[in-house]
Amino acid sequence: MKALQFSEYGGPEVLRWAEAEEPHAGPGQIRIKVAAASINPIDWKLSTGMFAGGKPMEGVGRLGFDAAGVVDEIGDGVTGVQVGDDVFGRGNATQAEFAVLDAWALKPSSVDWALAAAAGVSIETAERGLRLVGVEPGQTLFVDGGAGGVGATVVQVAIARGIRVIASAGEGNQDYLREIRAIPVVYGDGVADRARAAAGGDVDAVFDVAGKTPIAELIGLVPEPAKVVTIANYGAAESGVILTRGGADSHPFEALAQGARLLESSQLVIKFQTFPFDRAAEAYAISLGGHVRGKLVLVP
Ligand SMILES: NC(=O)c1ccc[n+]([C@@H]2O[C@H](COP(=O)([O-])OP(=O)(O)OC[C@H]3O[C@@H](n4cnc5c(N)ncnc54)[C@H](OP(=O)(O)O)[C@@H]3O)[C@@H](O)[C@H]2O)c1
């Protein structure tokens, strides 16, 4: 089979769509024939060596953390899913012709493959952050960075739960935020003041998706630091905000099942742009630019 891979750190030019060993489903896993796999910033954080601490690369790196496709192998202990089922979910090395998933949900038949693939990482992250920060129906949430993959999902999951949402994006994405029913503000200097003005006062909670606004400004919007959750400001935990990276905080099966319901009822709609796997470098270049609207999705 073919898979996206790299053997040295660098920009999109190091990526190759080339032969690789087929994965197999271990205990608690399933394997799918991939119909679509999305790009998340973690992919290029890995392929550019951001996490390598300056050490040279050893071996071959593989990419992709979510996908949608048809089940073709079932690992020991797995129940509730059969060979031939259409699923989407989270795994490793998913940007390939075959991939193993660790968590999944059945894909509603009305939902496009690319849309389902786009929802894997983003729905799990949105569900986790909203649960950890504890925002209730009727309350107001500020989403800093509402137009990307995770941000647009957070906005729509929160609105589906009856939460009022103010969200930030660049000038070019203000209409997109309105389309997904957030109250838009422009990010950058003074964003917290604009969010406060849009909310008519302080907000109940902040979901920091972009990790770019100084954390003190976001803390100033809420009653206490623990009402800010961040997924991208890795230095912020010292200020008492919730920093989450997944791990034990993650309830992926529940999140994906919830995502399937929201996708089927069109309460979650993610704009996406697709690229064939062998043109992945073009999609990675866009993702690296930092201004993706919705998601970039790779397809065979
Ligand atoms: N900790 C975790 O568990 C976890 C999980 C998933 C993702 N993440 C991280 O979360 C971040 C977002 O992920 P993603 O998939 O949503 O990325 P993405 O789709 O690439 O997000 C790009 C979005 O960021 C917006 N943006 C750029 N600069 C901004 C700023 N200064 N203020 C607010 N928004 C800004 C852009 O808006 P414009 O186009 O309007 O400029 C664009 O819509 C990444 O760093 C990712 O690695 C963490």
Side-chain angles (χ1 to χ4, degrees), residues 39-42 44-45 51 90 121-122 124-125 128 143-152 168-174 176 187-188 191 208-213 230-232 234 243-246 286-288 290-295:
I39 295 177
N40 291 284
I42 181 86
W44 51 255
K45 290 180 183 179
F51 296 141
R90 297 205 20 182
V121 165
S122 61
E124 187 281 320
T125 310
R128 171 163 38 96
V143 181
D144 199 19
V150 175
S168 74
E171 293 282 2
N173 274 327
Q174 299 291 295
Y176 178 48
Y187 60 50
V191 65
D208 174 22
V209 179
K212 296 197 170 155
T213 302
T230 183
I231 59 166
Y234 301 115
L243 166 67
T244 175
R245 298 167 190 263
I286 296 172
S287 186
L288 265 158
H291 300 286
V292 176
R293 178 180 299 176
K295 294 284 300 193

Side-chain angles (χ1 to χ4, degrees), residues 26-71:
Q29 299 178 321
I30 58 173
R31 187 177 87 161
I32 59 170
K33 180 165 178 23
V34 174
S38 94
I39 295 177
N40 291 284
I42 181 86
D43 294 314
W44 51 255
K45 290 180 183 179
L46 289 168
S47 62
T48 56
M50 254 176 84
F51 296 141
K55 289 196 190 125
M57 194 173 161
E58 285 173 21
V60 173
R62 298 270 308 273
L63 296 161
F65 290 87
D66 52 18
V70 180
V71 178

